[in-house]
Amino acid sequence: AFSNCRSLKRVNVVGKVSYIGNNTFIYCDELESVTLPYGVLGIGNNAFFSCQKLKSVNIPDSVTTIGETAFSNCSELKSVTLPGSVTNVGDDAFFVCRKLSEVVLSEGLTSIGERSFFGCVGIMSITLPSTLTTDGQDAFNGCYRLAEVCNLSQVTDLGRTGLADYDLYTDVNAESRLSEVDGFIVRTSENGVKSVINYIGNNEKPTIPAGVTVVRSGAFAYIDVIREIVVPEGVEAINHYAFTQCKNLVKVTLPSTLIYIYDYAFDGCENLASVNLPDKVEKIRSFAFNECRSLTDMVIPESVTKVFANAFSGCSGMQTIYCEAESQPSEWDGLWQNNCSAQVVWNYNGGSEA
């Protein structure tokens, strides 16, 4: 009915409406808010698909079902509360809602579909209600920052949903291991290891708190506010997708303790122009600097024993890669420089060839 209405900004549904049909508001690019009346029983497939400016939607406690891909790719949606009337959430319902950080699943919910919250990188904690019996394949996969799960449900195989590796509780009053330090969300494990999982501050040039030794996968993914960041001493690895798609990131200062840079660590950081590789770095994995188009040169220290395929893929601005090794080490992948036309200088010694 309103699909592709690209100037529609607000919707206030009134009257006796029992169902929001399939594709009703699909691709309404400018839609920011939706108010639904009590009496609506269901939200259809693709109802709000790719409404990329939708920030808020109220779901009245008459709704029982949310259809497949109903809110998929609503990239500005920040919070959603599913009332107790909702029993079923369809496949891909909130797929890749990247800014979705607050999700309330109420008692009464029985089924969550496959990939229903896949790629919702903003979620840090969630409670599964006791009425939940079915949690679909990959329902929470790709939720990089999700660190705490209170499982009150009857679901026992959390591995297939993407929840197996997180702190699991069965008591809603359990003490959280998450804390905020200068805008950083830090998790402290049982043995005292501190990992940063998110940044919610406004400082363009933040420094990760001292004592943090782990930069968790996806910790800073899709965060636009950061232009420069300092990673503290003690951190040994930049994990998968840690800074992926940080479009405004210009400079990263890495610690002397760093050993590993994992897959897609700086993927899509298109304005990243300055990054130092400390002398202890040993491995740079596939696509670590994928599409870092503003990098013009890089020094790879002699300590690096392995560079994986496509490590610098898409680094179209890269002119020179200076390698301290005399020649390509045997464990470097033959395609380590794939899709990167930079000149490689071997036996580099701090400003000139040895």
Side-chain angles (χ1 to χ4, degrees), residues 145-180:
R145 300 185 182 109
L146 183 54
E148 295 184 328
V149 179
C150 183
N151 185 24
L152 308 178
S153 76
Q154 302 171 52
V155 177
T156 55
D157 184 10
L158 292 179
R160 65 190 297 274
T161 69
L163 293 176
D165 296 332
Y166 305 110
D167 291 335
L168 297 175
Y169 305 97
T170 55
D171 180 1
V172 293
N173 296 314
E175 184 176 357
S176 174
R177 295 195 181 116
L178 303 182
S179 60
E180 181 182 345

PDB file of all heavy atoms in Angstrom, residues 145-180:
ATOM      1  N   ARG A 145      28.791  -8.030  19.813  1.00  0.00           N
ATOM      2  CA  ARG A 145      28.943  -7.431  21.142  1.00  0.00           C
ATOM      3  C   ARG A 145      28.093  -8.130  22.209  1.00  0.00           C
ATOM      4  O   ARG A 145      28.163  -7.762  23.378  1.00  0.00           O
ATOM      5  CB  ARG A 145      28.582  -5.948  21.079  1.00  0.00           C
ATOM      6  CG  ARG A 145      29.457  -5.162  20.119  1.00  0.00           C
ATOM      7  CD  ARG A 145      29.152  -3.678  20.169  1.00  0.00           C
ATOM      8  NE  ARG A 145      29.970  -2.966  19.197  1.00  0.00           N
ATOM      9  CZ  ARG A 145      29.504  -2.420  18.080  1.00  0.00           C
ATOM     10  NH1 ARG A 145      28.219  -2.505  17.792  1.00  0.00           N
ATOM     11  NH2 ARG A 145      30.307  -1.789  17.256  1.00  0.00           N
ATOM     12  N   LEU A 146      27.307  -9.088  21.818  1.00  0.00           N
ATOM     13  CA  LEU A 146      26.458  -9.790  22.782  1.00  0.00           C
ATOM     14  C   LEU A 146      27.340 -10.592  23.743  1.00  0.00           C
ATOM     15  O   LEU A 146      28.029 -11.525  23.343  1.00  0.00           O
ATOM     16  CB  LEU A 146      25.486 -10.714  22.055  1.00  0.00           C
ATOM     17  CG  LEU A 146      24.467 -11.469  22.913  1.00  0.00           C
ATOM     18  CD1 LEU A 146      23.672 -10.517  23.791  1.00  0.00           C
ATOM     19  CD2 LEU A 146      23.528 -12.267  22.029  1.00  0.00           C
ATOM     20  N   ALA A 147      27.336 -10.195  25.001  1.00  0.00           N
ATOM     21  CA  ALA A 147      28.245 -10.790  25.976  1.00  0.00           C
ATOM     22  C   ALA A 147      27.525 -11.558  27.076  1.00  0.00           C
ATOM     23  O   ALA A 147      28.109 -12.443  27.691  1.00  0.00           O
ATOM     24  CB  ALA A 147      29.112  -9.707  26.613  1.00  0.00           C
ATOM     25  N   GLU A 148      26.262 -11.209  27.334  1.00  0.00           N
ATOM     26  CA  GLU A 148      25.546 -11.837  28.444  1.00  0.00           C
ATOM     27  C   GLU A 148      24.169 -12.319  28.002  1.00  0.00           C
ATOM     28  O   GLU A 148      23.420 -11.569  27.360  1.00  0.00           O
ATOM     29  CB  GLU A 148      25.380 -10.853  29.608  1.00  0.00           C
ATOM     30  CG  GLU A 148      26.692 -10.447  30.238  1.00  0.00           C
ATOM     31  CD  GLU A 148      26.498  -9.539  31.449  1.00  0.00           C
ATOM     32  OE1 GLU A 148      25.541  -8.761  31.461  1.00  0.00           O
ATOM     33  OE2 GLU A 148      27.317  -9.637  32.365  1.00  0.00           O
ATOM     34  N   VAL A 149      23.858 -13.556  28.354  1.00  0.00           N
ATOM     35  CA  VAL A 149      22.559 -14.140  28.031  1.00  0.00           C
ATOM     36  C   VAL A 149      21.972 -14.750  29.296  1.00  0.00           C
ATOM     37  O   VAL A 149      22.603 -15.603  29.937  1.00  0.00           O
ATOM     38  CB  VAL A 149      22.681 -15.237  26.949  1.00  0.00           C
ATOM     39  CG1 VAL A 149      21.314 -15.850  26.655  1.00  0.00           C
ATOM     40  CG2 VAL A 149      23.298 -14.666  25.677  1.00  0.00           C
ATOM     41  N   CYS A 150      20.792 -14.279  29.662  1.00  0.00           N
ATOM     42  CA  CYS A 150      20.054 -14.903  30.765  1.00  0.00           C
ATOM     43  C   CYS A 150      19.063 -15.871  30.145  1.00  0.00           C
ATOM     44  O   CYS A 150      18.075 -15.450  29.536  1.00  0.00           O
ATOM     45  CB  CYS A 150      19.347 -13.857  31.615  1.00  0.00           C
ATOM     46  SG  CYS A 150      18.492 -14.574  33.041  1.00  0.00           S
ATOM     47  N   ASN A 151      19.342 -17.151  30.270  1.00  0.00           N
ATOM     48  CA  ASN A 151      18.522 -18.167  29.621  1.00  0.00           C
ATOM     49  C   ASN A 151      17.533 -18.760  30.617  1.00  0.00           C
ATOM     50  O   ASN A 151      17.858 -19.648  31.405  1.00  0.00           O
ATOM     51  CB  ASN A 151      19.406 -19.264  29.023  1.00  0.00           C
ATOM     52  CG  ASN A 151      18.594 -20.283  28.244  1.00  0.00           C
ATOM     53  OD1 ASN A 151      17.498 -19.983  27.779  1.00  0.00           O
ATOM     54  ND2 ASN A 151      19.126 -21.483  28.102  1.00  0.00           N
ATOM     55  N   LEU A 152      16.304 -18.252  30.572  1.00  0.00           N
ATOM     56  CA  LEU A 152      15.225 -18.806  31.387  1.00  0.00           C
ATOM     57  C   LEU A 152      14.404 -19.805  30.587  1.00  0.00           C
ATOM     58  O   LEU A 152      13.481 -20.427  31.107  1.00  0.00           O
ATOM     59  CB  LEU A 152      14.304 -17.680  31.877  1.00  0.00           C
ATOM     60  CG  LEU A 152      14.984 -16.497  32.571  1.00  0.00           C
ATOM     61  CD1 LEU A 152      13.938 -15.455  32.942  1.00  0.00           C
ATOM     62  CD2 LEU A 152      15.742 -16.955  33.794  1.00  0.00           C
ATOM     63  N   SER A 153      14.763 -19.962  29.304  1.00  0.00           N
ATOM     64  CA  SER A 153      13.929 -20.711  28.365  1.00  0.00           C
ATOM     65  C   SER A 153      14.123 -22.212  28.477  1.00  0.00           C
ATOM     66  O   SER A 153      14.941 -22.713  29.265  1.00  0.00           O
ATOM     67  CB  SER A 153      14.261 -20.283  26.926  1.00  0.00           C
ATOM     68  OG  SER A 153      15.487 -20.854  26.519  1.00  0.00           O
ATOM     69  N   GLN A 154      13.380 -22.919  27.616  1.00  0.00           N
ATOM     70  CA  GLN A 154      13.492 -24.370  27.528  1.00  0.00           C
ATOM     71  C   GLN A 154      14.424 -24.792  26.394  1.00  0.00           C
ATOM     72  O   GLN A 154      14.530 -25.968  26.071  1.00  0.00           O
ATOM     73  CB  GLN A 154      12.099 -24.977  27.314  1.00  0.00           C
ATOM     74  CG  GLN A 154      11.108 -24.623  28.432  1.00  0.00           C
ATOM     75  CD  GLN A 154       9.692 -25.021  28.119  1.00  0.00           C
ATOM     76  OE1 GLN A 154       9.435 -26.168  27.761  1.00  0.00           O
ATOM     77  NE2 GLN A 154       8.775 -24.079  28.220  1.00  0.00           N
ATOM     78  N   VAL A 155      15.094 -23.813  25.795  1.00  0.00           N
ATOM     79  CA  VAL A 155      16.051 -24.094  24.725  1.00  0.00           C
ATOM     80  C   VAL A 155      17.349 -24.582  25.349  1.00  0.00           C
ATOM     81  O   VAL A 155      17.923 -23.929  26.219  1.00  0.00           O
ATOM     82  CB  VAL A 155      16.320 -22.835  23.876  1.00  0.00           C
ATOM     83  CG1 VAL A 155      17.366 -23.124  22.807  1.00  0.00           C
ATOM     84  CG2 VAL A 155      15.026 -22.348  23.242  1.00  0.00           C
ATOM     85  N   THR A 156      17.816 -25.738  24.901  1.00  0.00           N
ATOM     86  CA  THR A 156      19.033 -26.312  25.481  1.00  0.00           C
ATOM     87  C   THR A 156      20.223 -26.236  24.533  1.00  0.00           C
ATOM     88  O   THR A 156      21.363 -26.158  24.968  1.00  0.00           O
ATOM     89  CB  THR A 156      18.803 -27.787  25.865  1.00  0.00           C
ATOM     90  OG1 THR A 156      18.344 -28.511  24.715  1.00  0.00           O
ATOM     91  CG2 THR A 156      17.769 -27.895  26.972  1.00  0.00           C
ATOM     92  N   ASP A 157      19.982 -26.233  23.224  1.00  0.00           N
ATOM     93  CA  ASP A 157      21.069 -26.195  22.255  1.00  0.00           C
ATOM     94  C   ASP A 157      21.285 -24.762  21.793  1.00  0.00           C
ATOM     95  O   ASP A 157      20.839 -24.353  20.722  1.00  0.00           O
ATOM     96  CB  ASP A 157      20.755 -27.105  21.064  1.00  0.00           C
ATOM     97  CG  ASP A 157      21.904 -27.164  20.062  1.00  0.00           C
ATOM     98  OD1 ASP A 157      22.989 -26.659  20.396  1.00  0.00           O
ATOM     99  OD2 ASP A 157      21.712 -27.715  18.964  1.00  0.00           O
ATOM    100  N   LEU A 158      21.990 -23.987  22.617  1.00  0.00           N
ATOM    101  CA  LEU A 158      22.211 -22.588  22.283  1.00  0.00           C
ATOM    102  C   LEU A 158      23.288 -22.416  21.221  1.00  0.00           C
ATOM    103  O   LEU A 158      23.388 -21.365  20.597  1.00  0.00           O
ATOM    104  CB  LEU A 158      22.573 -21.800  23.533  1.00  0.00           C
ATOM    105  CG  LEU A 158      21.457 -21.634  24.572  1.00  0.00           C
ATOM    106  CD1 LEU A 158      21.977 -20.858  25.772  1.00  0.00           C
ATOM    107  CD2 LEU A 158      20.257 -20.929  23.970  1.00  0.00           C
ATOM    108  N   GLY A 159      24.108 -23.442  20.997  1.00  0.00           N
ATOM    109  CA  GLY A 159      25.170 -23.365  20.010  1.00  0.00           C
ATOM    110  C   GLY A 159      24.649 -23.078  18.619  1.00  0.00           C
ATOM    111  O   GLY A 159      25.216 -22.270  17.883  1.00  0.00           O
ATOM    112  N   ARG A 160      23.533 -23.692  18.256  1.00  0.00           N
ATOM    113  CA  ARG A 160      23.004 -23.509  16.913  1.00  0.00           C
ATOM    114  C   ARG A 160      22.423 -22.107  16.717  1.00  0.00           C
ATOM    115  O   ARG A 160      22.232 -21.646  15.604  1.00  0.00           O
ATOM    116  CB  ARG A 160      21.936 -24.565  16.602  1.00  0.00           C
ATOM    117  CG  ARG A 160      20.686 -24.457  17.453  1.00  0.00           C
ATOM    118  CD  ARG A 160      19.770 -25.672  17.256  1.00  0.00           C
ATOM    119  NE  ARG A 160      19.293 -25.774  15.883  1.00  0.00           N
ATOM    120  CZ  ARG A 160      18.215 -25.142  15.422  1.00  0.00           C
ATOM    121  NH1 ARG A 160      17.531 -24.354  16.219  1.00  0.00           N
ATOM    122  NH2 ARG A 160      17.825 -25.299  14.174  1.00  0.00           N
ATOM    123  N   THR A 161      22.172 -21.413  17.805  1.00  0.00           N
ATOM    124  CA  THR A 161      21.611 -20.068  17.706  1.00  0.00           C
ATOM    125  C   THR A 161      22.684 -18.993  17.667  1.00  0.00           C
ATOM    126  O   THR A 161      22.407 -17.842  17.366  1.00  0.00           O
ATOM    127  CB  THR A 161      20.691 -19.770  18.903  1.00  0.00           C
ATOM    128  OG1 THR A 161      21.487 -19.661  20.095  1.00  0.00           O
ATOM    129  CG2 THR A 161      19.652 -20.856  19.095  1.00  0.00           C
ATOM    130  N   GLY A 162      23.925 -19.385  18.016  1.00  0.00           N
ATOM    131  CA  GLY A 162      25.013 -18.417  18.075  1.00  0.00           C
ATOM    132  C   GLY A 162      25.247 -17.864  19.461  1.00  0.00           C
ATOM    133  O   GLY A 162      25.931 -16.850  19.619  1.00  0.00           O
ATOM    134  N   LEU A 163      24.722 -18.528  20.491  1.00  0.00           N
ATOM    135  CA  LEU A 163      24.825 -18.004  21.853  1.00  0.00           C
ATOM    136  C   LEU A 163      25.742 -18.823  22.761  1.00  0.00           C
ATOM    137  O   LEU A 163      25.873 -18.505  23.930  1.00  0.00           O
ATOM    138  CB  LEU A 163      23.427 -17.942  22.501  1.00  0.00           C
ATOM    139  CG  LEU A 163      22.445 -16.943  21.898  1.00  0.00           C
ATOM    140  CD1 LEU A 163      21.092 -17.069  22.575  1.00  0.00           C
ATOM    141  CD2 LEU A 163      22.964 -15.518  22.029  1.00  0.00           C
ATOM    142  N   ALA A 164      26.387 -19.835  22.237  1.00  0.00           N
ATOM    143  CA  ALA A 164      27.092 -20.783  23.097  1.00  0.00           C
ATOM    144  C   ALA A 164      28.303 -20.189  23.803  1.00  0.00           C
ATOM    145  O   ALA A 164      28.684 -20.641  24.879  1.00  0.00           O
ATOM    146  CB  ALA A 164      27.518 -22.007  22.285  1.00  0.00           C
ATOM    147  N   ASP A 165      28.944 -19.187  23.218  1.00  0.00           N
ATOM    148  CA  ASP A 165      30.218 -18.704  23.743  1.00  0.00           C
ATOM    149  C   ASP A 165      30.097 -17.523  24.700  1.00  0.00           C
ATOM    150  O   ASP A 165      31.094 -16.913  25.053  1.00  0.00           O
ATOM    151  CB  ASP A 165      31.133 -18.301  22.577  1.00  0.00           C
ATOM    152  CG  ASP A 165      31.496 -19.483  21.707  1.00  0.00           C
ATOM    153  OD1 ASP A 165      31.528 -20.604  22.240  1.00  0.00           O
ATOM    154  OD2 ASP A 165      31.739 -19.278  20.501  1.00  0.00           O
ATOM    155  N   TYR A 166      28.890 -17.195  25.126  1.00  0.00           N
ATOM    156  CA  TYR A 166      28.703 -16.014  25.962  1.00  0.00           C
ATOM    157  C   TYR A 166      28.479 -16.390  27.425  1.00  0.00           C
ATOM    158  O   TYR A 166      28.261 -17.550  27.761  1.00  0.00           O
ATOM    159  CB  TYR A 166      27.532 -15.188  25.429  1.00  0.00           C
ATOM    160  CG  TYR A 166      27.699 -14.837  23.971  1.00  0.00           C
ATOM    161  CD1 TYR A 166      26.892 -15.401  22.994  1.00  0.00           C
ATOM    162  CD2 TYR A 166      28.706 -13.973  23.570  1.00  0.00           C
ATOM    163  CE1 TYR A 166      27.077 -15.098  21.652  1.00  0.00           C
ATOM    164  CE2 TYR A 166      28.895 -13.655  22.236  1.00  0.00           C
ATOM    165  CZ  TYR A 166      28.078 -14.223  21.281  1.00  0.00           C
ATOM    166  OH  TYR A 166      28.271 -13.918  19.966  1.00  0.00           O
ATOM    167  N   ASP A 167      28.546 -15.377  28.299  1.00  0.00           N
ATOM    168  CA  ASP A 167      28.226 -15.606  29.705  1.00  0.00           C
ATOM    169  C   ASP A 167      26.753 -15.984  29.806  1.00  0.00           C
ATOM    170  O   ASP A 167      25.873 -15.218  29.386  1.00  0.00           O
ATOM    171  CB  ASP A 167      28.492 -14.340  30.522  1.00  0.00           C
ATOM    172  CG  ASP A 167      29.972 -14.017  30.621  1.00  0.00           C
ATOM    173  OD1 ASP A 167      30.782 -14.950  30.493  1.00  0.00           O
ATOM    174  OD2 ASP A 167      30.311 -12.842  30.823  1.00  0.00           O
ATOM    175  N   LEU A 168      26.483 -17.137  30.370  1.00  0.00           N
ATOM    176  CA  LEU A 168      25.113 -17.628  30.470  1.00  0.00           C
ATOM    177  C   LEU A 168      24.666 -17.630  31.921  1.00  0.00           C
ATOM    178  O   LEU A 168      25.394 -18.093  32.813  1.00  0.00           O
ATOM    179  CB  LEU A 168      24.999 -19.049  29.890  1.00  0.00           C
ATOM    180  CG  LEU A 168      25.308 -19.192  28.401  1.00  0.00           C
ATOM    181  CD1 LEU A 168      25.267 -20.665  27.991  1.00  0.00           C
ATOM    182  CD2 LEU A 168      24.313 -18.392  27.571  1.00  0.00           C
ATOM    183  N   TYR A 169      23.474 -17.086  32.157  1.00  0.00           N
ATOM    184  CA  TYR A 169      22.906 -17.049  33.494  1.00  0.00           C
ATOM    185  C   TYR A 169      21.518 -17.683  33.476  1.00  0.00           C
ATOM    186  O   TYR A 169      20.862 -17.744  32.426  1.00  0.00           O
ATOM    187  CB  TYR A 169      22.776 -15.606  34.001  1.00  0.00           C
ATOM    188  CG  TYR A 169      24.055 -14.802  33.980  1.00  0.00           C
ATOM    189  CD1 TYR A 169      24.341 -13.937  32.927  1.00  0.00           C
ATOM    190  CD2 TYR A 169      24.970 -14.915  35.016  1.00  0.00           C
ATOM    191  CE1 TYR A 169      25.517 -13.195  32.903  1.00  0.00           C
ATOM    192  CE2 TYR A 169      26.149 -14.177  35.006  1.00  0.00           C
ATOM    193  CZ  TYR A 169      26.419 -13.321  33.950  1.00  0.00           C
ATOM    194  OH  TYR A 169      27.580 -12.599  33.935  1.00  0.00           O
ATOM    195  N   THR A 170      21.091 -18.130  34.601  1.00  0.00           N
ATOM    196  CA  THR A 170      19.719 -18.613  34.741  1.00  0.00           C
ATOM    197  C   THR A 170      18.991 -17.836  35.838  1.00  0.00           C
ATOM    198  O   THR A 170      17.902 -18.212  36.252  1.00  0.00           O
ATOM    199  CB  THR A 170      19.686 -20.115  35.077  1.00  0.00           C
ATOM    200  OG1 THR A 170      20.472 -20.355  36.255  1.00  0.00           O
ATOM    201  CG2 THR A 170      20.237 -20.946  33.920  1.00  0.00           C
ATOM    202  N   ASP A 171      19.597 -16.748  36.274  1.00  0.00           N
ATOM    203  CA  ASP A 171      19.015 -15.906  37.320  1.00  0.00           C
ATOM    204  C   ASP A 171      18.995 -14.467  36.817  1.00  0.00           C
ATOM    205  O   ASP A 171      20.052 -13.890  36.496  1.00  0.00           O
ATOM    206  CB  ASP A 171      19.865 -16.010  38.597  1.00  0.00           C
ATOM    207  CG  ASP A 171      19.314 -15.145  39.738  1.00  0.00           C
ATOM    208  OD1 ASP A 171      18.270 -14.491  39.541  1.00  0.00           O
ATOM    209  OD2 ASP A 171      19.946 -15.131  40.811  1.00  0.00           O
ATOM    210  N   VAL A 172      17.817 -13.889  36.709  1.00  0.00           N
ATOM    211  CA  VAL A 172      17.709 -12.512  36.192  1.00  0.00           C
ATOM    212  C   VAL A 172      18.384 -11.506  37.111  1.00  0.00           C
ATOM    213  O   VAL A 172      18.678 -10.382  36.695  1.00  0.00           O
ATOM    214  CB  VAL A 172      16.228 -12.112  35.982  1.00  0.00           C
ATOM    215  CG1 VAL A 172      15.606 -12.921  34.867  1.00  0.00           C
ATOM    216  CG2 VAL A 172      15.442 -12.263  37.280  1.00  0.00           C
ATOM    217  N   ASN A 173      18.640 -11.893  38.344  1.00  0.00           N
ATOM    218  CA  ASN A 173      19.279 -10.982  39.291  1.00  0.00           C
ATOM    219  C   ASN A 173      20.785 -11.207  39.392  1.00  0.00           C
ATOM    220  O   ASN A 173      21.445 -10.624  40.261  1.00  0.00           O
ATOM    221  CB  ASN A 173      18.643 -11.140  40.679  1.00  0.00           C
ATOM    222  CG  ASN A 173      17.182 -10.741  40.680  1.00  0.00           C
ATOM    223  OD1 ASN A 173      16.821  -9.697  40.132  1.00  0.00           O
ATOM    224  ND2 ASN A 173      16.334 -11.558  41.282  1.00  0.00           N
ATOM    225  N   ALA A 174      21.339 -12.043  38.535  1.00  0.00           N
ATOM    226  CA  ALA A 174      22.775 -12.298  38.559  1.00  0.00           C
ATOM    227  C   ALA A 174      23.544 -11.004  38.286  1.00  0.00           C
ATOM    228  O   ALA A 174      23.124 -10.166  37.482  1.00  0.00           O
ATOM    229  CB  ALA A 174      23.141 -13.356  37.522  1.00  0.00           C
ATOM    230  N   GLU A 175      24.672 -10.843  38.953  1.00  0.00           N
ATOM    231  CA  GLU A 175      25.472  -9.633  38.792  1.00  0.00           C
ATOM    232  C   GLU A 175      26.132  -9.603  37.424  1.00  0.00           C
ATOM    233  O   GLU A 175      26.766 -10.576  36.996  1.00  0.00           O
ATOM    234  CB  GLU A 175      26.536  -9.558  39.888  1.00  0.00           C
ATOM    235  CG  GLU A 175      27.347  -8.277  39.860  1.00  0.00           C
ATOM    236  CD  GLU A 175      28.336  -8.178  41.006  1.00  0.00           C
ATOM    237  OE1 GLU A 175      28.336  -9.091  41.859  1.00  0.00           O
ATOM    238  OE2 GLU A 175      29.105  -7.196  41.031  1.00  0.00           O
ATOM    239  N   SER A 176      26.009  -8.493  36.756  1.00  0.00           N
ATOM    240  CA  SER A 176      26.585  -8.348  35.424  1.00  0.00           C
ATOM    241  C   SER A 176      28.100  -8.206  35.500  1.00  0.00           C
ATOM    242  O   SER A 176      28.642  -7.631  36.450  1.00  0.00           O
ATOM    243  CB  SER A 176      25.998  -7.129  34.712  1.00  0.00           C
ATOM    244  OG  SER A 176      26.655  -6.898  33.482  1.00  0.00           O
ATOM    245  N   ARG A 177      28.783  -8.726  34.492  1.00  0.00           N
ATOM    246  CA  ARG A 177      30.231  -8.563  34.390  1.00  0.00           C
ATOM    247  C   ARG A 177      30.596  -7.393  33.479  1.00  0.00           C
ATOM    248  O   ARG A 177      31.759  -7.195  33.170  1.00  0.00           O
ATOM    249  CB  ARG A 177      30.872  -9.853  33.861  1.00  0.00           C
ATOM    250  CG  ARG A 177      30.737 -11.044  34.804  1.00  0.00           C
ATOM    251  CD  ARG A 177      31.683 -12.161  34.392  1.00  0.00           C
ATOM    252  NE  ARG A 177      31.536 -13.296  35.290  1.00  0.00           N
ATOM    253  CZ  ARG A 177      31.109 -14.487  34.919  1.00  0.00           C
ATOM    254  NH1 ARG A 177      30.785 -14.695  33.657  1.00  0.00           N
ATOM    255  NH2 ARG A 177      31.017 -15.475  35.779  1.00  0.00           N
ATOM    256  N   LEU A 178      29.585  -6.653  33.051  1.00  0.00           N
ATOM    257  CA  LEU A 178      29.822  -5.520  32.172  1.00  0.00           C
ATOM    258  C   LEU A 178      29.852  -4.226  32.970  1.00  0.00           C
ATOM    259  O   LEU A 178      29.088  -4.039  33.910  1.00  0.00           O
ATOM    260  CB  LEU A 178      28.733  -5.430  31.099  1.00  0.00           C
ATOM    261  CG  LEU A 178      28.534  -6.645  30.195  1.00  0.00           C
ATOM    262  CD1 LEU A 178      27.458  -6.369  29.161  1.00  0.00           C
ATOM    263  CD2 LEU A 178      29.838  -7.055  29.526  1.00  0.00           C
ATOM    264  N   SER A 179      30.732  -3.323  32.577  1.00  0.00           N
ATOM    265  CA  SER A 179      30.800  -2.011  33.217  1.00  0.00           C
ATOM    266  C   SER A 179      31.184  -0.978  32.159  1.00  0.00           C
ATOM    267  O   SER A 179      31.730  -1.311  31.109  1.00  0.00           O
ATOM    268  CB  SER A 179      31.837  -2.003  34.347  1.00  0.00           C
ATOM    269  OG  SER A 179      33.130  -2.315  33.848  1.00  0.00           O
ATOM    270  N   GLU A 180      30.879   0.276  32.430  1.00  0.00           N
ATOM    271  CA  GLU A 180      31.225   1.354  31.514  1.00  0.00           C
ATOM    272  C   GLU A 180      32.397   2.147  32.073  1.00  0.00           C
ATOM    273  O   GLU A 180      32.382   2.567  33.232  1.00  0.00           O
ATOM    274  CB  GLU A 180      30.041   2.289  31.287  1.00  0.00           C
ATOM    275  CG  GLU A 180      30.358   3.410  30.304  1.00  0.00           C
ATOM    276  CD  GLU A 180      29.204   4.374  30.091  1.00  0.00           C
ATOM    277  OE1 GLU A 180      28.067   4.025  30.470  1.00  0.00           O
ATOM    278  OE2 GLU A 180      29.450   5.477  29.557  1.00  0.00           O
TER     279      GLU A 180
END
